[in-house]
Amino acid sequence: MGYLERWVRMRLGLCCLFKEEPISFRTTTARALSTLPRGEQLRKLSHICRNNAENLLRAVDTVARLGIGAFRIMSPLFPRMTHPEVGYSLDQLPDGQGIAQVLTTVRDTAQKKNIRLSFHPDQFVVLPSPHPAVVASSIQELEYQGRLAAAVGADVINIHVGGVYGDKGQALERFARVFAQLSDNVRSRLTLENDDVSYTVTDLLPLCRQLSIPLVYDVHHHRCKPDGLSVEEATRLAESTWQGSGREQYCHLSSPKFGWKGTYPKAHADYIDPADIPSCWLGRAMTVDVEAKAKELAVLRLMADLQQKRLDKIVPGSSEVGDAGGGVTLNR
DNA sequence: GCATGTCAAGTTGTG
DNA sequence: CACAACTTGACATGC
């Protein structure tokens, strides 16, 4: 653990997939399953789930080997598990016990190698929806990911608020009411992220404080949908929502594919442009998920860039970023 | 084999 | 009013 590594305290995270490492996750469709008798469905699903659990284990080993400190687990790790027609539970699968054992190994391995695991349910989870059926399936999906998170030791299930329906305040109130119905398992892990269309950090802060929900700060979304806060202010305010949670602050970072002046800055680039790294993040203890199409290659390049940045700043007299902690490295 | 259209789900904004 | 964009492949089908 050299002096060099101690400077940058960020724990960098990989999102879901690998570009070059031979790790892949299988899936299936509800349509394909629906043509099979139930027994065949469960056998097919069992194979896919076993494959995915084993690849998750290899993913944890691999990110640890690469010096990456966090991994976001793809939502369909167990595909179609909450589907109304072809849904299933692990103990219905022929190899359900074996799959559960692999998940336990994932948890132990992640703990031993200090890899932080998280989930990010996708856009279909919309807690403030006015449609009861949408809320019900959203809760079901969250509870599924909550059980999975508990099994593998993930401490974050991060979502967006979702729709506005013409009245942000009322939507946030509905969110709070549904939040109260969630299990402790989900509630203790749930976090809220600012998005690039509707809900800014400013919009989310009161709700996050009221319900003690940590705020995941996505700086790219913030830049696409500004709210008057500077990046520093947003980072600091988001950090305050993590205090008392017993967990390290979580942020997201990406670069625009077509540049900030392009017609569509929301699209993610293959790599992170070092110019997009908020300088106020340097030297802070936080987890940063790297949302970039080149996947692990992008995280590795960012790590190298950050260390280079450290070299630039190491010149005597330049101490704008403090080093408060000891023994803290890139891949804590 | 290989190319290509499809895949559960919600919401918003654009053409 | 229809459709793409959110994440992104990989599956399933048909030549």
Side-chain angles (χ1 to χ4, degrees), chain A residues 177-188:
Chain A
R177 279 202 294 277
V178 178
F179 177 76
Q181 303 169 34
L182 298 169
S183 69
D184 285 346
N185 208 24
V186 174
R187 261 201 318 239
S188 63

Side-chain angles (χ1 to χ4, degrees), chain A residues 8-12 67-70 113-116 248 284-287 326-332:
Chain A
V8 176
R9 303 172 69 201
M10 270 180 262
R11 175 200 292 267
L12 297 184
I68 297 169
K113 306 202 170 182
N114 195 10
I115 301 300
R116 190 179 192 186
E248 182 178 272
R284 294 177 80 100
M286 50 163 59
T287 303
V328 183
T329 68
L330 265 178
N331 63 333
R332 282 167 314 129

Side-chain angles (χ1 to χ4, degrees), chain A residues 48-96:
Chain A
I48 293 175
C49 291
R50 175 86 195 203
N51 170 84
N52 289 0
E54 283 173 355
N55 273 270
L56 175 59
L57 178 57
R58 292 172 52 215
V60 171
D61 277 326
T62 302
V63 295
R65 173 168 56 76
L66 295 175
I68 297 169
F71 185 68
R72 181 191 300 177
I73 300 171
M74 52 171 13
S75 299
L77 186 76
F78 297 154
R80 310 289 88 84
M81 191 172 238
T82 62
H83 187 276
E85 267 92 51
V86 300
Y88 56 98
S89 62
L90 266 196
D91 51 13
Q92 288 179 279
L93 301 181
D95 194 20

Side-chain angles (χ1 to χ4, degrees), chain A residues 169 172-177 179-180 192 203-214 241:
Chain A
L172 290 172
E173 278 178 31
R174 287 200 300 275
F175 182 99
R177 279 202 294 277
F179 177 76
L192 275 175
D203 294 328
L204 296 178
L205 271 173
L207 184 74
C208 287
R209 287 180 177 142
Q210 180 198 334
L211 303 176
S212 296
I213 301 176
T241 66

Side-chain angles (χ1 to χ4, degrees), chain A residues 2 6 8 14 22 77 130 180 206 246 268 271 288 291 308 326:
Chain A
R6 266 210 309 281
V8 176
L14 172 66
L77 186 76
H268 290 170
Y271 291 90
V288 177
E291 298 184 326
Q308 188 57 47

Side-chain angles (χ1 to χ4, degrees), chain A residues 223-301:
Chain A
R223 286 163 172 158
C224 289
K225 185 172 173 60
D227 60 354
L229 294 175
S230 68
V231 170
E232 288 90 334
E233 288 166 335
T235 301
R236 201 152 20 81
L237 288 166
E239 182 194 31
S240 71
T241 66
W242 289 87
Q243 281 160 6
S245 77
R247 287 168 286 168
E248 182 178 272
Q249 180 176 18
Y250 219 120
C251 291
H252 291 178
L253 176 65
S254 43
S255 283
K257 181 170 187 156
F258 307 110
W260 289 109
K261 299 200 169 111
T263 50
Y264 193 73
K266 294 174 182 178
H268 290 170
D270 291 344
Y271 291 90
I272 302 298
D273 180 345
D276 292 323
I277 306 166
S279 58
C280 67
W281 286 12
L282 300 175
R284 294 177 80 100
M286 50 163 59
T287 303
V288 177
D289 271 355
V290 177
E291 298 184 326
K293 304 248 181 193
K295 294 298 164 188
E296 82 275 20
L297 304 183
V299 184
L300 294 175
R301 183 182 291 183

